[in-house]
Amino acid sequence: MESNRELIERLNVEHKLTQDEYAKLIDTFDEDDFKLISSLADKTRRDIFSNEVYLRGLIEFSSFCKNDCLYCGLRRSNTKAERYRLEKDEILACCEEGYKLGYRTFVLQSGEDMFFTDDRICDIVSGIKADFPDCAVTLSIGEKSRESYKAYFDAGADRYLLRHETADATHYARLHPPELLLENRKRCLYDLKDIGYQVGTGFMVGSPFQTAECLAEDMIFLRDLEPQMVGIGPFIPHSDTPFAGFSQGTTQLTVFMIALIRLTLPSALIPATTALATVDPIGREKGLVAGANVCMPNLSPMSVRKKYLLYDDKACTGDESAQCRVCLERRLNSVGFKSVVSRGDAPKFVNTKSR
């Protein structure tokens, strides 16, 4: 049986392991393994992206959601959640502010809010593309029909983020209400790829009932889907959900998983997420030096930032957009990175060694 070091070194060359090998690494890695995989992931990212970190302007435009996911503060059963919706002109104003700050990608994120019909989403997307034709538009608005996804794409949407949360069907059922099925979540992701979107997915690290085997199954799913972007972050409990009493995910395992993803999907865009910055004051920096290469500063109006709470104690809800940009630039520079505000499409990676 290969040692963890041998598995990591082989992954660095071949960009794939078996599910059992991923599980072994995740379950048994030690500090030396962590240092090795982080170093290799950092080198892989620098070989492809140099020291550049892509900035995406995030606009959280609705906190309403029809779903009742057990981990999420926006779940429909949470009567304490403060709900809001941004109007189209408010969203465009966020984009205008972001454009002046240099952002060339806007990420529109919300709960699954049925108020925003396909026509409304298409009108917003086409409005952004008309006003800012050199910018990319990313949507993150949940599970939809193939026809809806095609309509958004035709309106000008370039990318779509839909985290699968866990690739294990049994685990998925323990995190979601019965009407939500992993099979449909995967169908959405493959539909998005087939339509032509640049697709992002991802999962929580340390969520309730998660095992190393669950995370290994996530890695196999990522390898098969080959998304252009993978967003992961530690599970953080929300006090008004059924998972309020569960422990949060750890920085170390989350960063290890970032490195594992970088070596499996070398050219992926991997954010250092707000959740990572929430559990660790320098969590974002730790993610970057282990293979992450994207940050998503918040462009939402100050009046609503503290209302979009997927989990408790969310970081980065207080700074104005300009202040946030300056602060982020300083933190990136402190660990040897420079920000890039271009569209920053993921490069095509062809791994001939694993075919």
Side-chain angles (χ1 to χ4, degrees):
M1 179 181 294
E2 289 178 281
S3 67
N4 283 356
R5 182 181 185 86
E6 290 169 328
L7 289 175
I8 292 168
E9 289 176 344
R10 176 155 60 84
L11 177 63
N12 185 48
V13 174
E14 299 180 1
H15 310 295
K16 67 174 184 176
L17 296 173
T18 68
Q19 187 167 332
D20 286 345
E21 289 168 339
Y22 278 121
K24 177 182 181 294
L25 263 185
I26 294 165
D27 197 37
T28 65
F29 74 88
D30 60 19
E31 191 61 35
D32 288 339
D33 300 327
F34 183 86
K35 290 177 181 178
L36 174 62
I37 198 170
S38 298
S39 174
L40 292 173
D42 181 50
K43 182 180 185 306
T44 296
R45 191 213 48 255
R46 289 181 184 274
D47 285 347
I48 298 172
F49 298 99
S50 185
N51 66 337
E52 297 180 343
V53 174
Y54 296 106
L55 301 188
R56 315 305 203 193
L58 176 64
I59 304 169
E60 297 163 332
F61 67 93
S62 172
S63 66
F64 285 85
C65 190
K66 70 179 180 63
N67 293 332
D68 215 19
C69 303
L70 278 72
Y71 51 84
C72 183
L74 301 188
R75 66 195 308 260
R76 67 171 185 261
S77 293
N78 182 10
T79 58
K80 296 181 181 179
E82 295 186 70
R83 309 293 181 177
Y84 71 90
R85 293 185 178 108
L86 299 184
E87 301 286 344
K88 177 185 175 182
D89 61 348
E90 293 178 293
I91 295 172
L92 289 173
C94 294
C95 293
E96 183 175 1
E97 181 178 16
Y99 194 86
K100 290 176 180 176
L101 291 170
Y103 298 116
R104 294 300 180 264
T105 296
F106 302 119
V107 181
L108 273 59
Q109 181 175 317
S110 72
E112 292 197 24
D113 183 355
M114 302 310 291
F115 171 82
F116 286 97
T117 61
D118 288 353
D119 286 345
R120 284 192 170 108
I121 294 295
C122 289
D123 183 49
I124 291 167
V125 170
S126 61
I128 294 172
K129 297 296 277 194
D131 288 355
F132 310 100
D134 56 332
C135 293
V137 173
T138 301
L139 294 177
S140 181
I141 57 176
E143 295 182 5
K144 306 289 182 179
S145 68
R146 182 186 177 94
E147 292 72 24
S148 294
Y149 289 146
K150 183 64 164 60
Y152 310 153
F153 186 78
D154 291 343
D158 303 278
R159 304 166 182 158
Y160 203 102
L161 308 182
L162 181 64
R163 299 210 319 185
H164 65 278
E165 300 301 2
T166 174
D168 181 280
T170 301
H171 187 214
Y172 194 91
R174 301 187 77 175
L175 303 180
H176 298 89
E179 64 268 21
L180 294 182
L181 301 174
L182 177 61
E183 178 182 0
N184 190 57
R185 186 62 61 101
K186 289 183 175 181
R187 185 273 306 168
C188 290
L189 286 163
Y190 281 104
D191 279 351
L192 288 162
K193 282 205 74 174
D194 189 55
I195 289 168
Y197 284 93
Q198 296 173 48
V199 174
T201 191
F203 52 87
M204 293 177 288
V205 178
S207 60
F209 318 115
Q210 188 180 69
T211 64
E213 288 72 23
C214 292
L215 288 169
E217 197 161 354
D218 287 319
M219 294 305 303
I220 297 300
F221 176 63
L222 292 179
R223 196 188 69 199
D224 292 342
L225 179 67
E226 293 186 318
Q228 285 91 352
M229 179 173 172
V230 183
I232 70 169
F235 163 76
I236 305 173
H238 190 292
S239 55
D240 298 317
T241 69
F243 289 160
F246 282 79
S247 299
Q248 68 184 23
T250 67
T251 302
Q252 186 179 47
L253 182 55
T254 304
V255 173
F256 184 86
M257 294 304 300
I258 287 174
L260 203 61
I261 293 165
R262 174 58 65 200
L263 294 188
T264 301
L265 300 172
S267 61
L269 298 168
I270 304 175
T273 60
T274 301
L276 194 51
T278 299
V279 300
D280 187 325
I282 57 170
R284 184 182 280 119
E285 289 87 337
K286 290 179 180 178
L288 290 170
V289 298
N293 65 330
V294 173
C295 288
M296 295 198 287
N298 201 332
L299 293 176
S300 305
M302 288 290 293
S303 60
V304 303
R305 289 190 193 183
K306 293 183 179 180
K307 298 178 182 179
Y308 197 89
L309 294 180
L310 308 179
Y311 47 81
D312 286 344
D313 303 317
K314 180 180 176 183
C316 304
T317 59
D319 289 342
E320 295 282 358
S321 298
Q323 291 176 307
C324 182
R325 170 76 192 272
V326 171
C327 174
L328 187 56
E329 294 268 8
R330 188 181 305 118
R331 299 187 74 150
L332 291 175
N333 293 341
S334 74
V335 285
F337 293 93
K338 67 176 182 179
S339 65
V340 177
V341 290
S342 67
R343 288 172 54 111
D345 296 322
K348 180 67 175 175
F349 174 74
V350 179
N351 177 21
T352 56
K353 296 179 182 178
S354 67
R355 301 295 183 188

